[in-house]
Amino acid sequence: MLTLGNHTWARRELQPYLEESDRVVRPANFSRYAPGRPLAVATATDGTRVAVVQLMGWLFLEVAVGPFELVDDLVEEARAAAPVVVVDFHAEATSEKQAMARWLDGRVTAVLGTHTHVQTADARVLPGGTAAITDAGMTGPHDSIIGVKAELATQRMRTGIPVRFEPAEGDVRIEGVLVECDPDGRARSCEPVRVPIA
Ligand SMILES: [Fe+2]
């Protein structure tokens, strides 16, 4: 399954696809009138049902309602559909991401932070059995400023003048986390993944 985030509406042509796809998830706390779904369920190769949901933090990001307003209902719906529930929390602040992980501890398999692109060193299983990391990191070019050619991002910050960003190319890595869990959805381990590609 694939989750999105604050750039969901950057490409108009994605909107009809979001309506059709049952594998692509957008933040639940966008407007309820916007296209796309916040919850998707699929069957893993061993037959286990897995639900994926996404929420967006509200510090520095534009959301229709705060993530804590609707997370409980969303998680309840996900748990009714599958024993394994993965929450992608797309947010800027480490505190907000840690708070969401603690709030959901014992109710979901994993709360994985995304959006800041820099993998954090806190992958862990919380006391209630929920795997968590503040940010899973970036799959992309790390010789960059969060994926953009460093000289362009720096130029914009130094001058305040908008610059057309281009993706960088060097030091491509796959980053993420590997979560192992029991069939009932309780996490057993949570390990960061960082694989150099080019
Ligand atoms: Fe983002």
Side-chain angles (χ1 to χ4, degrees):
M1 276 106 105
L2 186 73
T3 56
L4 297 169
N6 52 310
H7 297 292
T8 297
W9 313 127
R11 301 247 172 212
R12 264 189 118 67
E13 57 270 32
L14 185 66
Q15 292 177 22
Y17 181 71
L18 282 185
E19 288 290 89
E20 288 164 28
S21 171
D22 55 6
R23 292 294 180 97
V24 182
V25 175
R26 54 91 162 155
N29 51 337
F30 280 168
S31 167
R32 65 170 70 198
Y33 308 113
R37 68 185 66 211
L39 163 66
V41 183
T43 306
T45 49
D46 70 350
T48 307
R49 299 282 281 167
V50 178
V52 174
V53 301
Q54 185 178 45
L55 287 145
M56 206 154 77
W58 61 357
L59 189 78
F60 300 147
L61 293 169
E62 253 181 70
V63 289
V65 291
F68 288 94
E69 296 286 315
L70 44 68
V71 68
D72 293 335
D73 289 344
L74 184 65
V75 161
E76 205 171 301
E77 193 185 342
R79 280 167 57 111
V84 177
V85 176
V86 178
V87 178
D88 172 354
F89 191 37
H90 197 81
E92 192 82 50
T94 52
S95 55
E96 199 180 8
K97 292 196 260 191
Q98 290 196 337
M100 184 60 80
R102 288 309 285 240
W103 177 243
L104 296 179
D105 183 23
R107 287 191 281 158
V108 301
T109 305
V111 179
L112 309 178
T114 55
H115 176 66
T116 48
H117 298 215
V118 178
Q119 190 179 69
T120 53
D122 64 342
R124 66 212 182 278
V125 177
L126 293 165
T130 294
I133 188 169
T134 298
D135 204 288
M138 175 178 75
T139 290
H142 283 250
D143 179 13
S144 69
I145 308 294
I146 60 170
V148 172
K149 282 182 178 169
E151 62 274 22
L152 299 178
T154 314
Q155 187 187 336
R156 181 157 98 177
M157 287 186 198
R158 289 189 68 239
T159 64
I161 299 167
V163 174
R164 192 178 182 82
F165 281 169
E166 294 170 29
E169 284 165 10
D171 190 13
V172 175
R173 292 181 220 160
I174 293 173
E175 286 189 347
V177 287
L178 180 63
V179 174
E180 287 183 306
C181 69
D182 293 328
D184 66 358
R186 190 182 171 92
R188 273 200 306 242
S189 67
C190 179
E191 296 295 329
V193 174
R194 182 180 280 184
V195 184
I197 299 297

